[in-house]
């Protein structure tokens, strides 16, 4: 029987039926052969090949791999979905109009992720029919006004961290794939992958997951199982797509090979998994945890830029920065006039001149009646002004949640 095996699951003794690439793209003498050594597998991985067709009658079987028939059926289903897909038509609205809806949606999504993880812990399969409508609702909110959900993604409650983080990663994956121009089906699957990417953490004991302070080597080894555990849990769900499986399994891989579980290098990590790695790290370092205070979004972006020199994809880091802006929605900024404002909306062509809600005077040290100022329109209300940099809310004793 012909089966399609992801390259990371290849084993010595399997018989390669088709490498799926042109003869010039691999160094093997034949295109059909038995895998004789680990070296053969490493050579296939080094060619950037992701999936190989094996013949289970001539070599070892891969019990969980997709058969040729299953693959054809899946492709037919995907093609049908493309043909039947209705474009999402939503009317863009102001932040004010969207923020309430976005806040409710974020609450519902958090409860949903909590239930998914409780079910996973009890050994129940993930019910995609409950998760998929949530991804659609998040996407629609993002299309109505991206600032609402993105702004809220910086607000975290320490006790609910794991669930809120999953919702933020799902939300940011939707924003990132939309801004990078992916088709709506891929955006949907990437959002689903983001929402479910840490499902494997359901199997990590709470005392390790929420441990304040440094993890021991043994505890870190247990944490590092979550991508594989999540992948196994998701794989049991009827109708799960390749993309959420890939994001779940590979969001901790790093392009320099320093990640886990498979220590893959750049060419062997899909674009969406590399995007998920960026979003996952960005959201994790902006969050307040029981043992450290989260970084302001602008500092977190700077950190991500620094890491793009080593283990995060540099081109995708640039694309992510364009997506959320140097001063992402929700960032507190200081203006040349001495006023403080919170970024509420971006103009894609002028990321340094967003729309702000201005509400504090640092010179007179008092609150102002909140006013919307569009820095790209210096002649409008508020006059010409410019951002000098981001500010920490604690410095001025401000609770940002009140102004989101
Ligand atoms: Fe993770």
């Amino acid at each position: 029987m012909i089966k399609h095996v992801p390259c990371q699951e290849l084993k010595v003794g399997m018989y390669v039926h088709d490498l799926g690439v042109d003869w010039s793209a691999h160094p093997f003498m034949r295109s059909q052969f038995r895998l004789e050594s680990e070296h053969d597998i490493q050579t296939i991985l080094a060619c950037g090949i992701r999936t190989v067709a094996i013949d289970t009658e001539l070599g070892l079987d891969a019990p969980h791999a997709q058969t040729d028939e299953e693959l054809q059926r899946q492709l037919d289903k995907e093609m049908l979905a493309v043909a039947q897909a209705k474009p999402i038509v939503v009317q863009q609205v102001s932040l004010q109009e969207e923020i309430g809806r976005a806040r409710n949606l974020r609450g519902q999504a958090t409860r949903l992720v909590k239930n998914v993880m409780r079910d996973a812990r009890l050994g129940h399969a993930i019910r995609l029919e409950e998760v998929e409508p949530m991804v659609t609702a998040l996407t629609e909110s993002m299309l109505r006004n991206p600032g609402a959900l993105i702004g809220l993604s910086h607000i975290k409650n320490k006790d609910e961290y794991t669930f809120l983080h999953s919702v933020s990663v799902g939300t940011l994956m939707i924003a990132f794939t939309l801004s990078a121009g992916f088709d709506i089906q891929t955006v949907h699957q990437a959002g689903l992958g983001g929402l479910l990417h840490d499902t494997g953490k359901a199997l990590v004991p709470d005392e390790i997951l929420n441990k304040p302070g440094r993890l021991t080597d043994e505890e870190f080894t247990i944490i590092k199982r979550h991508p594989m555990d999540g992948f196994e849990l998701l794989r049991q769900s009827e109708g799960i797509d390749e993309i959420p499986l890939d994001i779940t399994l590979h969001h901790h891989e790093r392009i320099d090979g320093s990640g886990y579980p498979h220590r893959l290098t750049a060419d062997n990590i899909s674009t969406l998994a590399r995007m998920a790695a960026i979003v996952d790290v960005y959201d994790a370092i902006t969050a307040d945890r029981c043992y450290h205070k989260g970084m302001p979004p602008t500092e977190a972006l700077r950190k991500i830029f620094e890491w793009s020199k080593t283990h995060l994809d540099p081109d995708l880091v640039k694309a992510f920065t364009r997506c959320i802006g140097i001063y992402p929605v929700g960032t507190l900024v200081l203006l040349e006039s001495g006023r403080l404002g919170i970024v509420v909306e971006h103009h894609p062509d002028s990321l340094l001149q967003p729309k702000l809600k201005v509400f504090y005077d640092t010179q007179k040290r008092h609150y102002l009646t909140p006013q919307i100022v569009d820095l790209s329109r210096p002649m409008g209300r508020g006059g010409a002004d410019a951002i000098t940099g981001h500010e920490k809310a604690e410095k001025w004793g401000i609770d940002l949640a009140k102004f989101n």
Side-chain angles (χ1 to χ4, degrees), residues 197-198 201 226 251-252 280:
H197 79 290
D198 267 347
K201 284 194 178 162
H226 80 273
H251 68 276
H252 285 287
D280 182 38

Side-chain angles (χ1 to χ4, degrees), residues 73-93:
R73 263 207 307 273
Q74 187 198 323
L75 291 174
D76 283 349
K77 214 170 104 190
E78 283 174 22
M79 282 164 60
L80 195 67
V82 170
Q84 289 175 332
K86 295 185 189 73
I88 299 184
V89 182
V90 293
Q91 183 112 35
Q92 294 201 337
V93 300

Side-chain angles (χ1 to χ4, degrees), residues 45 253-258 262-269:
L45 281 167
E253 297 290 356
R254 298 292 179 256
I255 60 167
D256 59 358
S258 64
H262 295 119
R263 302 182 71 86
L264 299 181
T265 47
D267 290 348
N268 298 308
I269 311 172

Side-chain angles (χ1 to χ4, degrees), residues 106 149-156 168 282-283 286 297 328-331:
R106 198 167 151 78
L149 276 174
I150 292 180
L152 292 173
S153 72
H154 299 129
I155 300 170
K156 304 257 167 48
S168 296
Y282 170 78
D283 188 70
T286 49
V329 172
T331 307

Side-chain angles (χ1 to χ4, degrees), residues 73-368:
R73 263 207 307 273
Q74 187 198 323
L75 291 174
D76 283 349
K77 214 170 104 190
E78 283 174 22
M79 282 164 60
L80 195 67
V82 170
Q84 289 175 332
K86 295 185 189 73
I88 299 184
V89 182
V90 293
Q91 183 112 35
Q92 294 201 337
V93 300
S94 71
L95 183 75
Q96 248 98 335
E97 221 174 302
E98 190 57 28
I99 194 78
R101 231 174 340 200
R103 204 171 274 130
N104 282 341
L105 212 48
R106 198 167 151 78
Q108 287 165 17
T110 309
R111 285 192 289 281
L112 181 69
V113 172
K114 211 177 199 174
N115 290 344
V116 164
M117 292 184 91
R118 190 201 49 211
D119 285 356
R121 203 171 279 201
L122 295 171
H124 301 157
I126 293 148
R127 290 188 291 260
L128 284 180
E129 67 276 16
E130 289 175 14
V131 188
E132 303 236 33
M134 179 52 70
V135 179
T136 305
L138 291 169
T139 309
E140 286 172 354
S141 170
M142 191 70 71
L143 289 167
R144 280 192 296 268
N145 189 309
L149 276 174
I150 292 180
L152 292 173
S153 72
H154 299 129
I155 300 170
K156 304 257 167 48
N157 159 339
K158 288 173 210 160
D159 303 330
E160 305 241 276
Y161 171 74
T162 307
F163 316 122
L164 286 165
H165 168 69
S166 297
V167 176
S168 296
V169 171
T171 302
L172 290 169
M173 278 305 280
I174 293 170
F176 196 2
T177 45
L178 276 173
S179 90
F182 283 85
D183 65 88
I184 203 72
Q185 280 84 20
T186 307
V187 170
H188 182 85
Q189 294 302 336
L192 186 62
L195 213 55
L196 298 177
H197 79 290
D198 267 347
T199 304
K201 284 194 178 162
L203 306 187
V204 177
D206 280 342
E207 58 274 19
I208 299 180
L209 206 54
N210 301 321
K211 182 180 173 184
R214 245 187 131 69
L215 295 172
T216 64
D217 286 350
E218 291 81 53
E219 288 165 341
F220 194 45
T221 307
I222 293 172
I223 290 260
K224 278 162 103 177
R225 281 191 215 143
H226 80 273
M228 202 52 150
D229 285 345
F231 175 75
E232 293 297 341
L233 284 163
L234 258 61
R235 201 153 63 164
Q236 292 160 19
S237 310
E238 181 87 27
I240 189 86
D241 187 271
E242 283 266 321
I243 292 174
L245 287 174
D246 177 36
I247 288 176
T248 302
L249 185 58
H250 295 135
H251 68 276
H252 285 287
E253 297 290 356
R254 298 292 179 256
I255 60 167
D256 59 358
S258 64
Y260 61 89
H262 295 119
R263 302 182 71 86
L264 299 181
T265 47
D267 290 348
N268 298 308
I269 311 172
S270 69
T271 304
L272 288 166
R274 279 180 274 157
M275 291 166 86
I278 294 168
V279 165
D280 182 38
V281 170
Y282 170 78
D283 188 70
I285 61 179
T286 49
D288 287 344
R289 302 296 305 274
C290 31
Y291 46 91
H292 70 77
K293 188 105 192 89
M295 283 182 202
T298 305
E299 264 176 47
L301 269 183
R302 199 180 297 143
K303 214 59 201 150
I304 300 271
F305 248 86
E306 189 186 318
W307 288 330
S308 76
K309 312 278 179 243
T310 50
H311 57 258
L312 295 174
D313 185 304
D315 290 332
L316 290 173
V317 165
K318 284 180 203 146
F320 183 61
T321 309
R322 278 193 297 276
C323 164
I324 61 169
I326 297 164
Y327 300 111
V329 172
T331 307
L332 183 69
V333 290
L334 178 65
L335 297 172
E336 280 172 355
S337 61
R339 296 179 298 170
L340 286 178
I342 191 162
V343 178
V344 294
E345 198 177 316
H346 274 295
H347 305 290
D349 302 330
S350 51
L351 291 177
L352 293 171
Q353 294 159 316
K355 213 184 252 187
L356 307 172
K357 188 192 280 179
V358 170
F359 61 87
Y360 193 82
D361 187 323
T362 59
Q363 281 149 11
K364 297 184 185 138
R365 288 196 167 246
H366 66 65
Y367 284 94
L368 303 166

